[in-house]
């Protein structure tokens, strides 16, 4: 959610140019303080359901992580970069199951701390590390990683092409990048535009791409596209789960905070119901 409730915290946000790495980090701090990360069972991404709509949200979100790992197809011992690692759950799961080393980066310091705590108590201890870093300016040498993934982080970045170029630089030739992200199947226009604009405003989003925009950003950064699949229908139930949890949370908050989280829930639900709301799984390769 945005940090609109506290103008002092808004100092780094230029409302005319959208989110910055700082404003996104602050938004996740508020998100976490409000207890909103529980909405998705610890992961901060959508769940995936085939025919099993009864699958609990925590398992469904882990399934999305597994789909990303399948596409990365890493070899044990390889070093991977998790771009926008959240609380570290996807990195821990992939490190543990695939026996790979993972560096997770985020623009939220509390997320770095929480992910590091989670790692300490897990079987992935020693395989993962979490750092505060901006994907648009990565603090790593060329070719430091054998692969990378970005789950629902690109949409926060004001310059996605720069981030994709940076990831391209730090991944070795032949390495893969898997992106999981929201998309507009077709541009939201007319009255529907307010749903998209509301989402962008409420969730510190820089932009939700069309599939063609995703393709163009990847190509511009030098990535070869291997696969782009819209799994929007398999993730759609997530928006309902999240908005229901946000509404429950609202009952525990006071005045303005309750109003804000209720508005965020309404927008999430409206976006999730919209036929133009898609979700892409993209696999690309560095040549
Ligand atoms: C929706 S959360 C997804 C978290 C995690 N990938 C998951 O699936 O649980 C978005 C994440 O992207 C991170 N992020 C946003 N902009 C970033 C940037 N410029 N550089 C690095 N991380 C960024 C946020 O800090 C947050 O951790």
């Amino acid at each position: 959610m945005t940090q609109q409730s506290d103008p002092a915290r808004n100092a780094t946000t230029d409302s005319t140019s959208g989110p910055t790495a700082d404003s996104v980090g602050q938004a996740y701090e508020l998100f976490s303080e409000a207890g909103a990360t529980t909405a998705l069972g610890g992961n901060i991404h959508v769940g995936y359901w085939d025919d099993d709509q009864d699958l609990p949200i925590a398992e469904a979100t882990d399934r999305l992580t597994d789909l990303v790992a399948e596409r990365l197809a890493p070899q044990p011992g390889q070093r991977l970069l998790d771009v926008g690692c959240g609380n570290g759950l996807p990195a821990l799961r992939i490190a543990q199951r695939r026996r790979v080393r993972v560096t997770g980066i985020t623009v939220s310091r509390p997320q770095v701390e929480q992910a590091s705590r989670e790692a300490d108590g897990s079987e992935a201890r020693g395989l993962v590390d979490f750092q505060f870093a901006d994907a648009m300016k990565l603090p790593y040498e060329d070719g430091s990683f054998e692969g990378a993934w970005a789950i629902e982080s690109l949409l926060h970045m004001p310059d996605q092409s720069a981030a994709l170029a940076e990831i391209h630089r730090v991944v070795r030739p032949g390495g893969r990048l898997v992106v999981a992200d929201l998309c507009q199947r077709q541009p939201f226009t007319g009255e529907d535009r307010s749903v998209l604009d509301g989402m962008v405003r409420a969730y510190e989003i820089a932009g939700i791409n069309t599939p063609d925009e995703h393709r163009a950003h990847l190509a511009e950064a030098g990535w070869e596209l291997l696969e782009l699949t819209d799994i929007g229908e398999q993730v759609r139930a997530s928006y309902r789960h999240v908005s229901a949890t946000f509404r429950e949370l609202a009952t525990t908050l006071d005045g303005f905070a309750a109003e804000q989280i209720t508005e965020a829930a309404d927008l999430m639900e409206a976006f999730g119901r919209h036929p133009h709301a898609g979700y892409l799984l993209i696999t690309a390769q560095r040549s």
Side-chain angles (χ1 to χ4, degrees):
M1 283 138 285
T2 66
Q3 65 274 45
Q4 303 285 327
S5 54
D6 182 348
R9 286 190 135 158
N10 224 7
T12 56
T13 311
D14 173 353
S15 60
T16 57
S17 62
T20 63
D22 282 350
S23 70
V24 172
Q26 288 166 1
Y28 274 101
E29 204 174 316
L30 291 185
F31 188 76
S32 166
E33 278 168 14
T37 42
T38 52
L40 297 158
N43 289 304
I44 317 177
H45 62 239
V46 297
Y48 181 93
W49 293 265
D50 278 323
D51 303 326
D52 46 1
Q53 290 294 320
D54 293 337
L55 194 71
I57 182 85
E59 287 174 43
T61 55
D62 278 343
R63 280 186 64 183
L64 186 94
T65 302
D66 294 343
L67 293 176
V68 168
E70 278 165 27
R71 281 156 180 78
L72 277 168
Q75 298 301 311
Q78 286 190 332
R79 189 168 173 216
L80 305 176
L81 179 67
D82 178 0
V83 180
C85 61
N87 296 325
L89 266 61
L92 295 183
R93 188 172 175 88
I94 291 178
Q96 214 163 291
R97 298 191 152 213
R98 302 280 176 157
R99 306 315 294 172
V100 287
R101 292 176 296 150
V102 181
T103 295
I105 60 157
T106 168
V107 287
S108 158
R109 292 190 195 279
Q111 285 184 347
V112 173
E113 284 159 21
Q114 185 173 345
S116 305
R117 275 197 304 275
E118 299 276 351
D120 280 347
S122 83
E123 283 174 37
R125 194 171 166 194
L127 288 174
V128 290
D129 68 292
F130 298 99
Q131 295 171 5
F132 182 90
D134 183 347
M136 294 173 287
K137 220 183 321 171
L138 288 171
Y140 307 113
E141 301 285 324
D142 296 2
S144 300
F145 300 94
E146 268 101 7
W149 76 84
I151 306 178
E152 293 177 33
S153 55
L154 283 180
L155 82 175
H156 286 300
M157 298 180 200
D159 192 345
Q160 291 187 20
S161 299
L164 289 168
E166 273 292 85
I167 302 167
H168 188 269
R169 179 182 67 73
V170 301
V171 168
R172 290 189 193 151
R176 284 187 176 183
L177 166 66
V178 177
V179 173
D181 221 331
L182 280 61
C183 80
Q184 301 182 59
R185 287 174 173 161
Q186 297 167 39
F188 282 61
T189 52
E191 286 180 10
D192 295 343
R193 182 76 210 181
S194 63
V195 173
L196 186 81
D197 290 345
M199 277 288 282
V200 162
R201 197 185 59 247
Y203 293 95
E204 285 292 314
I205 290 172
I208 297 179
N209 295 337
T210 62
D212 279 347
E213 285 166 339
H214 273 292
R215 285 189 189 94
H217 289 147
L218 285 161
E220 197 184 326
W223 290 98
E224 180 198 345
L225 184 64
L226 299 182
E227 181 212 358
L228 183 146
T229 307
D230 186 344
I231 56 167
E233 297 318 310
Q234 289 79 21
V235 310
R236 200 173 283 286
S238 313
Y239 303 104
R240 198 169 22 82
H241 278 281
V242 176
S243 48
T245 311
F246 281 7
R247 288 205 178 91
E248 263 176 54
L249 256 178
T251 64
T252 68
L253 299 170
D254 55 13
F256 192 64
E259 248 172 61
Q260 266 204 314
I261 202 162
T262 303
E263 193 204 356
D266 291 346
L267 288 162
M268 176 76 75
E269 199 169 17
F271 181 80
R273 268 201 311 263
H274 202 287
H276 289 185
Y279 193 98
L280 297 179
L281 262 184
I282 303 172
T283 311
Q285 188 157 28
R286 191 197 193 293
S287 45

